[in-house]
Amino acid sequence: MQALKEGGENHTRRQRIEGVFTLSYKPVKGLEVKAVGAGRVINSQSKNWRRQYGKYGPNGLNSMGAGQSGPNRLTQSTDNTRYITVQLTADYNLKIKRHNLHILAGWSAENNSYESLTGERTDIIGNELPALVMGSTDQWSNSASETEWALLSGFGRINYNLDERYLFEANIRMDGSSRFSKKHRWGYFPSFSGAWRISEEAFMKGQHIVTNLKLRASWGQLGNQNGLGLYDHIAKYNISGYYPFANELGQWAKVNSLPSEDRTWETVEMTNIGIDLGFLNNRLTAEAELFWKHTKDMLVSIEIPSMIGITVPTGNYGELKVHGWNIAIGWNDRIGNLNYSARFSLSDQKDKLTNYGKEFNGFSSGVGVYTEGYSLGAIFGYKTDGYFKTQEEVDNYPVFRKGITAPGDVKYIDLDNDGKISAPNDIAYLGSTNPRYVFGLNLSADWNGIDVSALFQGVGKRDYYLSSEVMAPFRDTWGNFSYTLHNDYWTPDNTNAALPRPYAGTSHNYQISDHWLQNAAYIRLKNLQIGYTLPSRIMRKAGIDRLRIYFSGDNLLEYSKLQSDFDPELSNINGYMYPMLRSYSFGINLTF
């Protein structure tokens, strides 16, 4: 129970029951049949009680409820969730001389159901006994919801290798989801992979330089249904509102969005080519990989005339292509009592929306605007040329809003030279929020009980778009933000300021433009740990197996060009920026 201020109480009771079972049977050598099941039941009941209480104001006694004006109020609700999953598999292993074969096949099923019921009444008799039955029926209310989804999958896999040198694997998945109509419910997704361990060949024996040399390649498909609601393939009616009918008020129902039975699974196709290397008894290791990702039948929205008066369903019109690479190199060695290791990794990828299912009619300003031919994280907006310096310059140059623009305001570039600043002709591609050249460096060492480890990470290229609350204090609708950046605004004596002149309007200076674009590349000491493990011969005398004392710190330092020391790791999805968060901890690991 959590007591609320001024006469309110909130009681919540939650029950969670989980269970798992496993059955296994081996009818013949190498074959195992297994059934695995799990279930989860969550029941929640809550009671929210707002007592009526009295407050004296300038006009005398006011009767109010806690957190609201009006009489006392009681709200009760129950929520029930039930999840069940079952998996049945047959696993067979066979080895004949140099040949190794592994076959797996099975089915899995998932089902999730949810129910909720809520009731509310006001004017509860008395002020100390919260019970729905004691409330008024004049303005009582209740609501309920019920959802269910299910997923049925069949799968199979074959692994084969010859002398651990030639490796091959083939997979097939069949997935059926309740989110699709019956005619498009099933998706079929194969995958294949192979590898050649060259270091196991006879001609590689006898040398001590190359310990591991392996070539590998793979191709496969997987299905995605995350872009769909639970019941998008059937008509859903919302019952709300009343209309006069035969001297009465009758409820009416409407369909907010059109259903579609033609949508099917998104198909994510992946292709990889890689090489793994090990030298000097694997003290030196290296990995390199190229990959291509092709998402077909993406669920995207299409443009329709507004006169239709209803939301149209998404369709499998989109296509996204991604290509990239990653490399890693590591060293692991020992010198006397000193063990040390280092590993560096670097990766990069680029994505392009090659088909969006609609005709291109010019750029639309925004962050993460889906536009054919560009990245999903693309930023579109106006290009700028600093600030207006004089009133004469304002009078003789196209401005976003005549009569308001003045010296110290953002100067947008008229890209199409038509004498005005307008979309879409003056909108341009500005950058992407997607990170490029992501890298990491792991360092570790231990010597006579002393251990040190450090993790550096960073991004070589990334664009960040400042949010409205960061742009100017006048746009802080919550009143919770205070940045030193706000002190650096344009004045006749400070013409190279980060912010334009103070102005409460939200139109002209705060259009999406490259003026608010930031370089979010960074390098950071993500984690540092220093520890000391006391000698075991001393600890055993005290009946202790192991005692380690350590210090750990997160986000201890970084280098970034972001203004006002903002955290460069944060997502640009919501547009907000937050200051650095650092943590320090000391601890003891004790084992008896």
Side-chain angles (χ1 to χ4, degrees):
M1 181 187 77
Q2 179 182 4
L4 303 177
K5 295 180 179 180
E6 298 179 334
E9 294 179 354
N10 186 17
H11 300 261
T12 301
R13 185 173 62 184
R14 185 181 178 90
Q15 295 178 329
R16 183 186 182 100
I17 303 173
E18 294 181 316
V20 178
F21 77 86
T22 301
L23 299 175
S24 179
Y25 177 58
K26 298 180 180 180
V28 296
K29 181 181 178 180
L31 176 62
E32 181 180 16
V33 180
K34 182 183 294 186
V36 179
R40 180 175 62 245
V41 178
I42 301 176
N43 297 319
S44 177
Q45 296 178 338
S46 66
K47 178 183 287 188
N48 190 285
W49 169 233
R50 294 293 189 269
R51 289 188 179 91
Q52 191 177 42
Y53 70 100
K55 271 190 174 181
Y56 282 91
N59 299 321
L61 178 64
N62 297 323
S63 293
M64 301 175 64
Q68 88 277 353
S69 300
N72 56 27
R73 183 177 76 239
L74 176 65
T75 305
Q76 286 186 236
S77 62
T78 61
D79 298 90
N80 301 296
T81 302
R82 291 174 175 82
Y83 172 78
I84 298 174
T85 179
V86 178
Q87 186 178 89
L88 179 64
T89 60
D91 196 342
Y92 182 64
N93 286 282
L94 178 64
K95 184 174 183 179
I96 303 176
K97 296 182 179 181
R98 301 161 55 197
H99 305 275
N100 297 278
L101 181 66
H102 179 201
I103 301 175
L104 174 70
W107 287 89
S108 67
E110 295 179 75
N111 180 268
N112 188 90
S113 61
Y114 170 79
E115 296 179 357
S116 70
L117 178 64
T118 301
E120 180 179 286
R121 289 195 187 187
T122 60
D123 292 316
I124 308 297
I125 298 174
N127 210 29
E128 299 299 328
L129 184 60
L132 284 176
V133 70
M134 301 182 69
S136 171
T137 60
D138 290 339
Q139 295 184 354
W140 61 357
S141 65
N142 59 73
S143 63
S145 65
E146 185 174 346
T147 60
E148 185 175 10
W149 59 264
L151 181 67
L152 181 63
S153 302
F155 50 88
R157 181 174 67 225
I158 298 176
N159 290 92
Y160 170 78
N161 78 73
L162 175 63
D163 283 342
E164 300 295 334
R165 285 183 294 169
Y166 311 109
L167 313 175
F168 174 78
E169 180 177 302
N171 293 271
I172 183 66
R173 284 192 63 91
M174 301 170 289
D175 295 307
S177 173
S178 61
R179 296 174 187 251
F180 300 103
S181 65
K182 291 183 178 180
K183 60 181 180 180
H184 291 294
R185 180 157 293 170
W186 287 92
Y188 303 89
F189 309 105
S191 65
F192 305 92
S193 64
W196 179 24
R197 298 187 64 187
I198 303 176
S199 55
E200 297 299 314
E201 294 287 354
F203 60 80
M204 295 293 292
K205 304 300 181 181
Q207 54 86 32
H208 305 286
I209 298 177
V210 180
T211 312
N212 180 42
L213 175 56
K214 177 175 155 182
L215 299 177
R216 51 186 169 82
S218 65
W219 175 91
Q221 294 181 337
L222 286 175
N224 179 41
Q225 58 169 343
N226 292 334
L228 281 177
L230 297 181
Y231 308 109
D232 289 350
H233 60 286
I234 58 177
K236 295 177 292 185
Y237 294 89
N238 288 342
I239 300 176
S240 60
Y242 295 87
Y243 67 96
F245 181 77
N247 298 323
E248 294 181 354
L249 290 178
Q251 281 189 317
W252 55 275
K254 65 177 181 178
V255 177
N256 288 331
S257 61
L258 290 175
S260 173
E261 295 187 355
D262 296 326
R263 285 176 293 191
T264 186
W265 292 83
E266 292 183 350
T267 301
V268 182
E269 184 177 286
M270 287 285 295
T271 303
N272 297 69
I273 299 175
I275 182 172
D276 299 331
L277 297 167
F279 302 94
L280 306 175
N281 200 26
N282 284 334
R283 284 182 292 171
L284 176 63
T285 59
E287 302 169 13
E289 184 178 63
L290 296 173
F291 63 87
W292 297 264
K293 181 179 178 181
H294 185 191
T295 303
K296 299 181 287 186
D297 301 322
M298 283 180 59
L299 290 167
V300 297
S301 300
I302 60 173
E303 292 183 346
I304 60 167
S306 58
M307 66 182 66
I308 193 172
I310 194 172
T311 302
V312 297
T314 56
N316 298 102
Y317 313 119
E319 186 176 14
L320 176 70
K321 291 186 177 181
V322 182
H323 65 274
W325 52 266
N326 60 71
I327 59 174
I329 185 169
W331 177 264
N332 188 356
D333 201 3
R334 177 185 180 94
I335 302 176
N337 293 330
L338 174 64
N339 297 289
Y340 67 97
S341 66
R343 179 180 173 83
F344 175 77
S345 62
L346 176 65
S347 64
D348 183 40
Q349 69 174 43
K350 296 176 66 176
D351 68 297
K352 179 187 286 189
L353 187 61
T354 56
N355 189 352
Y356 198 45
K358 63 180 181 181
E359 183 181 355
F360 177 73
N361 294 314
F363 295 132
S364 298
S365 63
V367 179
V369 178
Y370 288 3
T371 304
E372 192 170 301
Y374 291 86
S375 164
L376 296 184
I379 304 172
F380 298 94
Y382 294 102
K383 289 184 173 294
T384 61
D385 185 21
Y387 300 123
F388 286 106
K389 299 178 178 62
T390 64
Q391 186 61 44
E392 181 181 4
E393 186 180 14
V394 173
D395 295 337
N396 296 316
Y397 190 87
V399 297
F400 192 81
R401 294 189 66 186
K402 290 285 188 182
I404 293 180
T405 304
D409 287 340
V410 176
K411 182 179 180 181
Y412 302 106
I413 297 177
D414 181 16
L415 295 179
D416 64 349
N417 296 313
D418 65 349
K420 60 183 179 179
I421 306 298
S422 60
N425 294 339
D426 293 327
I427 300 296
Y429 171 75
L430 304 180
S432 174
T433 61
N434 291 341
R436 301 282 309 277
Y437 310 113
V438 180
F439 60 88
L441 175 62
N442 285 276
L443 302 173
S444 65
D446 65 83
W447 176 78
N448 290 338
I450 301 173
D451 62 271
V452 180
S453 65
L455 169 61
F456 293 87
Q457 68 176 38
V459 170
K461 181 181 179 181
R462 183 187 176 213
D463 296 313
Y464 198 103
Y465 194 81
L466 295 180
S467 74
S468 58
E469 279 73 14
V470 179
M471 291 176 180
F474 302 108
R475 301 199 68 190
D476 179 4
T477 56
W478 294 351
N480 296 329
F481 297 92
S482 178
Y483 302 114
T484 57
L485 177 66
H486 291 166
N487 299 324
D488 187 18
Y489 55 84
W490 186 94
T491 66
D493 298 325
N494 186 27
T495 57
N496 292 321
L499 301 179
R501 68 183 177 105
Y503 185 76
T506 60
S507 297
H508 61 306
N509 277 334
Y510 306 119
Q511 295 296 309
I512 294 181
S513 69
D514 59 7
H515 181 77
W516 305 109
L517 212 59
Q518 295 279 299
N519 181 357
Y522 74 94
I523 182 172
R524 158 174 280 173
L525 177 55
K526 184 65 177 177
N527 178 262
L528 174 66
Q529 285 198 33
I530 302 174
Y532 176 64
T533 302
L534 276 69
S536 58
R537 65 180 182 275
I538 299 176
M539 292 297 96
R540 290 196 187 100
K541 295 179 180 179
I544 299 174
D545 291 338
R546 186 173 185 268
L547 175 61
R548 177 175 179 265
I549 304 171
Y550 69 90
F551 160 79
S552 179
D554 294 324
N555 303 332
L556 296 183
L557 57 90
E558 61 279 309
Y559 173 76
S560 170
K561 292 185 178 181
L562 280 178
Q563 291 179 329
S564 294
D565 296 325
F566 293 127
D567 191 338
E569 278 192 78
L570 293 178
S571 168
N572 209 153
I573 295 176
N574 58 16
Y576 294 113
M577 299 287 289
Y578 298 94
M580 302 292 186
L581 296 177
R582 311 189 192 280
S583 64
Y584 311 88
S585 61
F586 297 86
I588 297 176
N589 292 330
L590 186 61
T591 304
F592 292 97

